[in-house]
Amino acid sequence: FLGGTRNLEASIDYRARRPFGIPLTFGAGVFARYWDSFAYRDALPPGPNRWEREQSGEYRERHYGAVISAGTQIERLGTMSADLRYEQASVRNLSLAPVSEEDDKLFIVKVGTVIDTKNRSHFSTEGIGLLFSYEFAFPAFGGTTRYTSVSVSYESYSTIGGRFTFHPQFILG
């Protein structure tokens, strides 16, 4: 559970890593969340080569649904997994926002892999992290929206002279 004055998220998850000693993973969960966001528009320019924005309204995004996942461990390097997620998503105008009110049902399939050779989970000094995911939603099983998403994240850690750790990161989506 987490939230603030303009957002809220609640979820319940169950995850099993290596049940019965076999190299499989399993997960299931339910979630609900909302975000309140402001919409903005161009304001009158305060001067030449200047611009400003002003708040023009407010809207709320709501999402709730369930997810199940299964995967396998890749020796000691990481995991490969597949997720099935059903989600109800809606957008509601709270005050004068220039957004279309929508209700969407999403049936989402996501496959991905995580490779992690870092020597520590926090403040690593050696190793790499690689995350790859391919996600798509399609109108089967009552879904109303179609999309495709691909993302890759690569990071490495290397320490020079025992004092300086370099951590370059590359993210593409």
Side-chain angles (χ1 to χ4, degrees), residues 68-107:
I68 60 170
S69 64
T72 184
Q73 291 187 277
I74 307 169
E75 297 185 9
R76 296 180 184 266
L77 297 177
T79 60
M80 289 179 60
S81 63
D83 300 352
L84 296 175
R85 185 170 82 228
Y86 181 76
E87 184 173 324
Q88 294 273 356
S90 66
V91 176
R92 293 289 178 262
N93 190 344
L94 297 178
S95 69
L96 305 172
V99 298
S100 300
E101 293 196 353
E102 297 181 26
D103 290 302
D104 293 305
K105 293 179 186 176
L106 302 168
F107 182 75

Side-chain angles (χ1 to χ4, degrees), residues 17-76:
R17 307 244 187 256
R18 299 186 59 91
F20 310 111
I22 56 177
L24 297 177
T25 62
F26 171 79
V30 294
F31 62 90
R33 62 182 173 256
Y34 79 83
W35 299 285
D36 289 346
S37 299
F38 293 117
Y40 294 90
R41 66 177 171 233
D42 290 332
L44 293 173
N49 298 322
R50 301 294 231 182
W51 60 274
E52 284 192 4
R53 306 281 285 162
E54 64 185 9
Q55 184 179 319
S56 63
E58 184 178 14
Y59 62 96
R60 173 173 290 169
E61 290 184 56
R62 284 189 306 211
H63 301 261
Y64 62 91
V67 61
I68 60 170
S69 64
T72 184
Q73 291 187 277
I74 307 169
E75 297 185 9
R76 296 180 184 266

